Every structure is written in structure tokens, then in C-alpha cells.
Amino acid sequence: MSDNHRNVSAIKAFSDNYIWAISCQENLALVDPGDAQVCIRHIEENNLVLSAILVTHHHNDHIGGIAQLLAYADKMHWSVTVYGPENDNIAQLDVTLRENDSVILTELGCEFTVLDLPGHTHGHIAYYNDKMLFCGDTLFSAGCGRVFEGTAVQMHQSLSKLANLAGNTLVYCAHEYTAANLKFAMTVEPNNAELHEYAEKVKTLRRDNKASIPTIIATERQINPFLRCHTNAVKQAAINYSQSSIHNEIEVFATIRAWKDNF
């Protein structure tokens, strides 16, 4: 994706992580750099200057490369600002962030608003503007993150917050989980025609070794069961799976998240 010479590209890391590289001319910001070596290779191959690191949460596959990147930047005499969540206990942060804070990346000509998204971790955040969302491990295409530290109530609220963003918002999540998520989504909603159409699109992309990300919010509203807990189809699937009565959307969410954990 490019916007007035600003580019967003995926740096592949580990088995299925995406580290997002936001660049404008020679200036670069990295989102969730868990692996320093692949980032340094990207910097050197593209003659870039690192100026900012944006972190969504504290898991090591998102922060493990920060120390080495800062050492590399120091050697290159670059000034790098590290942004991240106030409530996730990350040692290397220069600026701690919470809901509605602004991150202004002057060199890149872009600004983000911070969204608090507790659930996957206590302090998980996202970076959002009217064109793009960097949401770490909260929302995936056709899925969502596991509820490790927060509660089902928090995670459902966080996902609802994202579902209410503008439909054309590009969603840059941190993992290539889409194909596996779609298998589960089609088990929950086997009669969802949009879901089957999207699955064919993703199958073609992955066959050609292309990323399924970014997705957009409008698509996720149609195909992602975790954004569809208000629908009769997903509620009935949760009832059938749990073999018990379910009274509200949070119970639907908690049921299908537990189902996915064991899928």
C-alpha cells in the first residue's frame, strides 16, 4: 500500500509473523519488530533510516528485536523513538501510550490515534488513522487473538471497537493466520456465502505465496465470527457447540473463543 509516497510493506519473520514497515522516502517506522535481523536486512536493502518503533503489546515475537535495532541505530547515529502501551511493562519504551493519545511521525507525514484493546494482554493497544489500523494480535482476518491476560468481556469490547471503525480501514495484523481462521469460521457459519467467496480469494493468494493481509474492516464484519456474535447464525452455532443456553453476545464470544482454542 502506498499513499503520497508513503509505503507499508510486510517484513516476514519467524513462521508467520508480519513486521510492518512504514516508509516515506528514506524514513522508516517499524511496527512490532520481534526479529531485528530481518528488519536490518530490509533497512540496508532499501537504504532506509529508522526513526520510530511502534509496539502493540509485550509478547517477545513483537518486541524481541528492539534492543538490537536500537544498538544498530546507535551505531548509525540515528535517533529512534520507541512507542508502546502504558500498561504492558515494556522496558525500552520512550513514550508510553493509552486511549486517544496521538503519535505524530513527522518524517513519515502521518499521525495515529491510540486505541486501548485489552484482552490478548492487559495493555494491548492499536495505532489507527482514517486509512489504516495496526492492531497486533487483537483482530486477525477471520479470527482474533487468544485471551491470555484479559477477560472475554474486555476482548469482546476491544473487537467491537474495531468493528465500528470505517469499513474501508486497512487492517494490518501481525500474523498470517487467515487460512486456518477460515476453516474455523466456515465451521461456525457454513452457510455464509461471503465467507466462502473470501476463502477462495485467500486460497489463491496463499497458493501464490502472497499475503492475505491487509484486510479491511468491512470484509471482517461479513466473514469474521468474532465480529458477528450479534448474528443469529453465530449465536446458534455457539449454542449447538456448548449444548447450553446462551444469553448475550459476550457469552457467544466466550463460547466460540473457547471452541477455537480447541479447534
Side-chain angles (χ1 to χ4, degrees), residues 83-159:
Y83 301 86
E86 181 178 70
N87 297 316
D88 243 14
N89 193 31
I90 300 168
Q92 300 103 329
L93 300 184
D94 298 306
V95 180
T96 58
L97 302 167
R98 56 184 167 180
E99 179 87 1
N100 291 325
D101 282 346
S102 294
V103 174
I104 301 172
L105 303 178
T106 305
E107 300 90 342
L108 296 165
C110 63
E111 180 176 349
F112 296 101
T113 298
V114 173
L115 304 176
D116 281 341
L117 300 176
H120 184 67
T121 68
H122 289 307
H124 199 299
I125 63 172
Y127 301 85
Y128 168 72
N129 62 30
D130 61 357
K131 294 182 174 65
M132 50 191 169
L133 168 74
F134 295 93
C135 56
D137 286 359
T138 296
L139 175 66
F140 298 123
S141 188
C144 73
R146 288 178 180 259
V147 183
F148 283 128
E149 296 175 9
T151 65
V153 171
Q154 288 177 315
M155 193 66 161
H156 179 260
Q157 290 172 340
S158 294
L159 291 167

Side-chain angles (χ1 to χ4, degrees), residues 227-248:
L227 302 189
R228 296 173 55 77
C229 296
H230 60 286
T231 67
N232 289 332
V234 175
K235 180 179 179 181
Q236 190 59 53
I239 291 169
N240 293 344
Y241 173 76
S242 65
Q243 294 293 296
S244 61
S245 57
I246 288 179
H247 303 96
N248 55 53

Side-chain angles (χ1 to χ4, degrees), residues 41-68:
R41 188 180 311 130
H42 181 83
I43 289 167
E44 293 179 345
E45 287 176 354
N46 294 280
N47 297 310
L48 298 170
V49 176
L50 179 64
S51 60
I53 293 172
L54 310 181
V55 180
T56 63
H57 66 291
H58 69 78
H59 288 158
N60 197 58
D61 63 321
H62 295 252
I63 67 168
I66 294 175
Q68 189 176 346

Side-chain angles (χ1 to χ4, degrees), residues 164-181:
N164 286 325
L165 298 178
N168 62 350
T169 303
L170 290 161
V171 179
Y172 295 92
C173 55
H175 291 273
E176 183 58 71
Y177 287 165
T178 311
N181 287 338

